[in-house]
């Protein structure tokens, strides 16, 4: 199973096992990674699973979809590499993926 | 024990015996008397997307299941919030007293106006406000009467949320009670008696507009400050609003920042009183507040519904909603949907995934102040637990006559001395 790393705003790293076919958000929630709230449970309707994808991984995580752009529009700290982790489906190619988290999820 | 459907009495019997096409959940009295939940339970089971052809608010659809509500709430292309179609409450305001605000507006104008004020609740601003919120909460709690009955709503919930709002607007402190008054006037059902006519409502809201216009004029020429008025005065998206739009956004921010948290703060005392096992758990482990706070907000559901208007035909839950139809998402029902939330009628402060509730809405109109609301509730409970052994509710609560604001007006309590 691919391993992915979530890095909190304060620098604490959490490396967890992700399940192929599930979302990156679920990898965080299922492993109790703090800082991914996922209030809507993966419906792309709340922007509380916001992450920053490390630049070298952007090619493998794809680009934001339309609903994601609309929700990220209101996040507190949006960057060009902002994604909603519920919209990234884990594949074998994601082994080693690193994402950073914002200061808070809104 | 909880707020759930009461044992079958006459009215519950009616909820289950009325023909489906006679069920009209829009009546304020149902919510005032806490009789609404059995009706919604029946609708979720028998007719989850329900058409009511005739009500005081005209015909409307009720969306009662959690997942259907998420689907409608996140489909803002089909389901409009715009005030020109009637806005975001089941009541259609008369065109002459209808006004825009960013909650009652569609993209892209909504997006720009919302972004003008949303930095007020950005993480750094929340951190900046935390100490002040704690200090004010402590002061209010320390001054409460001991060993005698008082109204928790008035002395704590209203006071703390009014103070918070005054800080957010940088509103003259000595006049802050005007904010509560305007909030109540803006949302009151005429039948509830806060105002007697729409004309009276408009007169009082005109005073609100005049007061805030004076403040605006001071701030528009001053340096930018981190308060809601300065933010609107200095943002390109909001600095040229018409007086009506300005008033619309003021009401939105006042009601959104006041009424909702107030009622969750009142509800929380009632829920802890009625669920002593949960309160005992919290006292033993105050860290559970992280999950207790979203559970309080789910259980209270301070706004019972949000309304949309269909811009095209759309199927939801097997029913076809027609272009132009009024669609009401009953958050209070989705939050009790047992296909989405386990044992939803129980108040459980350490439930799994407590943040999955509908009270803040979903999609682009999701509550902008949600994290501030949670922080206020968390802090007030942290300070309560430091000071009081328990808060006894000593009489029946009085609730608001409204199918929109799910509110508590009077909650008699005693804190032993």
């Amino acid at each position: 199973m691919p391993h992915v790393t979530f890095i909190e705003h304060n620098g604490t790293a959490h490396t967890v096992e992700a399940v192929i076919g599930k979302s990156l958000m679920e990898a965080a929630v299922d492993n109790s990674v703090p800082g991914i709230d996922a209030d809507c449970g993966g419906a792309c309707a709340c922007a509380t699973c916001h992450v920053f994808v490390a630049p070298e991984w952007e090619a493998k995580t794809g680009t934001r979809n339309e609903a994601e752009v609309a929700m990220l529009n209101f996040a507190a700290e949006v960057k060009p590499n902002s994604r909603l982790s519920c919209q990234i489906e884990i594949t074998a190619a994601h082994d080693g993926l690193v994402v950073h988290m914002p200061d808070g999820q809104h | 024990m909880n707020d759930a459907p009461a044992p079958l009495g006459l009215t519950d019997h009616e909820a289950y015996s009325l023909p489906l096409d006679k069920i009209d959940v829009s009546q304020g009295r149902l919510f005032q008397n806490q009789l609404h939940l059995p009706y919604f339970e029946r609708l979720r089971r028998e007719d989850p997307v329900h058409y009511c052809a005739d009500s005081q608010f005209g015909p409307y659809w009720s969306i009662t299941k959690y997942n259907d509500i998420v689907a409608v709430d996140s489909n803002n292309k089909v389901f409009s919030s715009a005030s020109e179609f009637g806005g975001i409450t089941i009541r259609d305001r008369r065109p002459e007293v209808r006004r825009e605000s960013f909650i009652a507006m569609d993209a892209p104008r909504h997006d720009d106006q919302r972004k003008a004020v949303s930095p007020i609740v950005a993480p750094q601003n929340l951190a900046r406000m935390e100490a002040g919120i704690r200090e004010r909460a402590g002061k209010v709690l320390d001054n409460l009467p001991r060993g005698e009955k008082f109204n928790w709503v008035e002395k704590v919930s209203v006071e703390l949320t009014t103070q918070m709002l005054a800080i957010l607007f940088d509103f003259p402190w000595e006049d802050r009670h005007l904010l509560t008054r305007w909030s109540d006037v803006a949302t009151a059902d005429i039948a509830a008696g806060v105002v007697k006519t729409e004309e009276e409502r408009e007169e009082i809201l005109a005073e609100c507009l005049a007061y805030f216009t004076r403040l605006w004029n001071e701030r528009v020429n001053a340096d930018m400050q981190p308060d809601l008025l300065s933010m609107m005065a200095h943002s390109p998206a909001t600095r040229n609003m018409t007086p009506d739009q300005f008033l619309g956004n003021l009401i939105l921010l006042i009601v959104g920042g006041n009424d909702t948290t107030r009622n969750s703060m009142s509800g929380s005392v009632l829920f802890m009183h009625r669920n002593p096992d949960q309160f005992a758990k919290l006292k033993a482990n105050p860290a559970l507040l992280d999950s207790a706070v979203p559970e309080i907000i789910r259980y209270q559901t301070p706004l019972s519904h949000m309304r949309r208007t269909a811009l095209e035909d759309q199927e939801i839950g097997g029913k076809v909603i027609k272009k132009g139809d009024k669609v009401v998402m009953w958050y209070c029902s989705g939050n009790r949907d047992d296909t989405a939330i386990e044992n939803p009628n129980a108040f459980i402060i350490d439930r799994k995934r407590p943040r999955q509730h509908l009270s803040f809405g979903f999609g682009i109109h999701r509550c902008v102040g949600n994290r501030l609301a949670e922080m206020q509730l968390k802090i007030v409970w942290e300070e309560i637990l430091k000071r009081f052994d328990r808060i006894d509710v000593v009489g029946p609560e009085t609730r608001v006559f409204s199918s929109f604001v799910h509110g508590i007006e009077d909650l008699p309590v005693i804190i032993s001395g």
Side-chain angles (χ1 to χ4, degrees):
Chain A
M1 274 197 281
H3 285 78
V4 297
T5 301
F6 296 87
I7 301 178
E8 289 183 65
H9 195 256
N10 66 13
T12 311
H14 306 265
T15 300
V16 301
E17 271 188 2
V19 178
I20 291 172
K22 289 179 91 173
S23 71
L24 179 62
M25 175 277 281
E26 288 170 287
V29 170
D30 293 345
N31 290 287
S32 304
V33 174
I36 297 288
D37 293 341
D39 291 4
C40 79
C44 196
C46 73
T48 66
C49 65
H50 182 189
V51 295
F52 307 113
V53 175
E56 63 272 25
W57 283 96
E58 285 179 53
K60 284 181 180 157
T61 50
T63 50
R64 303 173 198 170
N65 60 49
E66 196 186 346
E68 197 179 344
V69 171
M71 288 316 303
L72 274 169
N73 198 10
F74 305 111
E77 186 193 355
V78 189
K79 298 179 184 173
N81 59 339
S82 287
R83 291 295 308 274
L84 294 182
S85 55
C86 71
Q87 299 301 301
I88 297 174
E89 187 185 316
I90 296 292
T91 67
H94 290 136
D95 189 35
L97 173 64
V98 177
V99 297
H100 291 257
M101 287 187 263
D103 197 358
Q105 301 281 359
H106 281 245
Chain B
M1 204 180 146
N2 54 55
D3 253 358
L8 282 179
L10 189 62
T11 318
D12 290 340
H13 177 66
E14 189 181 279
Y16 289 96
S17 66
L18 270 178
L20 269 179
D21 64 350
K22 294 284 180 240
I23 289 190
D24 169 17
V25 285
S26 72
Q27 306 165 73
R29 69 167 182 90
L30 295 178
F31 294 81
Q32 184 176 37
N33 298 310
Q34 292 293 283
L35 299 169
H36 58 298
L37 291 173
Y39 288 88
F40 285 114
E41 189 181 74
R42 176 156 177 225
L43 288 183
R44 285 195 303 274
R45 197 172 307 154
E46 295 179 26
D47 194 27
V49 177
H50 173 71
Y51 189 68
C52 175
D54 184 27
S55 84
Q56 62 181 320
F57 306 115
Y60 66 96
W61 290 94
S62 286
I63 313 293
T64 64
K65 303 256 320 175
Y66 188 100
N67 287 333
D68 290 338
I69 291 170
V70 174
V72 170
D73 223 357
S74 34
N75 188 351
N76 60 297
K77 288 213 173 83
V78 170
F79 296 105
S80 168
S81 296
S83 61
E84 62 190 287
F85 304 121
I88 51 106
T89 65
I90 191 168
R91 172 187 303 280
D92 289 304
R93 312 224 36 221
R94 298 200 313 255
E96 66 274 20
V97 293
R98 211 173 262 180
R99 57 181 61 90
E100 283 199 293
S101 65
F102 67 80
I103 198 175
M105 211 180 261
D106 292 333
R109 286 173 63 234
H110 154 269
D111 303 11
D112 296 337
Q113 293 203 3
R114 176 179 168 128
K115 277 197 274 189
V117 294
S118 61
I120 194 101
V121 288
Q124 309 87 298
N125 267 336
L126 291 184
R128 183 177 60 83
M129 289 188 276
E130 182 173 352
I133 292 172
R134 190 175 302 284
E135 190 194 326
R136 288 190 299 277
K139 203 178 281 180
V140 163
L141 296 174
D142 283 339
N143 287 322
L144 290 175
R146 304 294 285 258
E148 64 179 84
K149 187 165 94 169
F150 69 92
N151 178 4
W152 179 269
V153 176
E154 179 201 341
K155 288 229 187 296
V156 182
S157 312
V158 168
E159 188 55 39
L160 283 178
T161 49
T162 304
Q163 290 183 6
M164 186 73 241
L165 204 55
I167 303 266
L168 293 175
F169 277 110
D170 192 13
F171 192 86
W173 195 250
E174 64 285 1
D175 283 347
R176 65 186 185 277
H177 300 292
L178 287 172
L179 295 167
T180 326
R181 167 82 175 139
W182 293 330
S183 176
D184 291 343
V185 165
T187 59
D189 192 309
I190 295 292
V194 175
V195 287
K196 290 180 185 59
T197 60
E198 287 295 340
E199 288 68 31
E200 187 187 352
R201 191 199 313 268
E202 289 304 303
E203 277 168 32
I204 296 168
L205 293 180
E207 292 166 18
C208 168
L209 177 62
Y211 196 115
F212 270 105
T213 302
R214 283 200 303 277
L215 298 180
W216 174 285
N217 290 339
E218 290 163 17
R219 297 196 194 164
V220 73
N221 296 314
D223 288 344
M224 172 71 169
Q225 298 293 326
D227 69 80
L228 287 168
L229 272 179
S230 297
M231 288 167 129
M232 284 196 282
H234 288 262
S235 162
T238 42
R239 77 175 161 224
N240 295 316
M241 288 183 287
T242 63
D244 237 23
Q245 281 186 353
F246 181 39
L247 181 56
N249 277 333
L250 288 170
I251 293 169
L252 164 61
L253 295 165
I254 292 173
V255 173
N258 179 33
D259 232 339
T260 51
T261 311
R262 176 206 305 182
N263 289 317
S264 292
M265 219 176 259
S266 304
S268 65
V269 169
L270 192 58
F271 307 152
M272 294 296 176
H273 174 79
R274 289 187 179 163
N275 298 274
D277 57 326
Q278 300 300 309
F279 183 51
K281 229 174 353 186
L282 182 64
K283 273 177 67 170
N285 183 10
L288 287 178
L289 275 173
D290 283 334
S291 54
V293 163
E295 176 68 351
I296 287 164
I297 295 168
R298 176 188 76 90
Y299 212 63
Q300 175 67 24
T301 317
L303 294 179
S304 300
H305 77 261
M306 280 285 168
R307 168 263 178 93
R308 300 289 184 259
T309 307
L311 297 181
E312 52 192 76
D313 293 4
Q314 176 75 37
E315 189 187 315
I316 293 281
K319 301 272 183 86
V320 178
I321 290 170
K322 292 285 187 192
K323 178 179 177 178
D325 284 356
K326 183 190 292 198
V327 180
V328 179
M329 302 174 285
W330 293 102
Y331 294 153
C332 58
S333 174
N335 275 341
R336 301 295 179 103
D337 179 354
D338 63 7
T339 60
I341 298 167
E342 202 181 315
N343 196 5
N345 286 323
F347 176 71
I348 303 171
I349 64 162
D350 53 355
R351 64 165 66 241
K352 268 186 275 169
R353 308 207 172 171
R355 309 192 55 82
Q356 281 181 30
H357 63 73
L358 296 166
S359 299
F360 294 130
F362 281 120
I364 65 167
H365 292 285
R366 183 171 166 79
C367 175
V368 71
N370 57 359
R371 293 303 190 256
L372 177 59
E374 289 172 344
M375 188 166 93
Q376 290 179 82
L377 275 169
K378 185 175 179 196
I379 289 174
V380 78
W381 270 99
E382 282 171 350
E383 298 304 310
I384 288 170
L385 293 171
K386 281 183 203 164
R387 285 168 174 77
F388 309 138
D389 249 5
R390 57 180 219 267
I391 302 166
D392 290 316
V393 177
V394 293
E397 76 277 16
T398 310
R399 289 176 181 269
V400 178
F401 180 100
S402 171
S403 56
F404 181 58
V405 170
H406 190 220
I408 302 174
E409 285 165 353
D410 186 21
L411 184 67
V413 302
I414 291 182
I415 300 171
S416 56

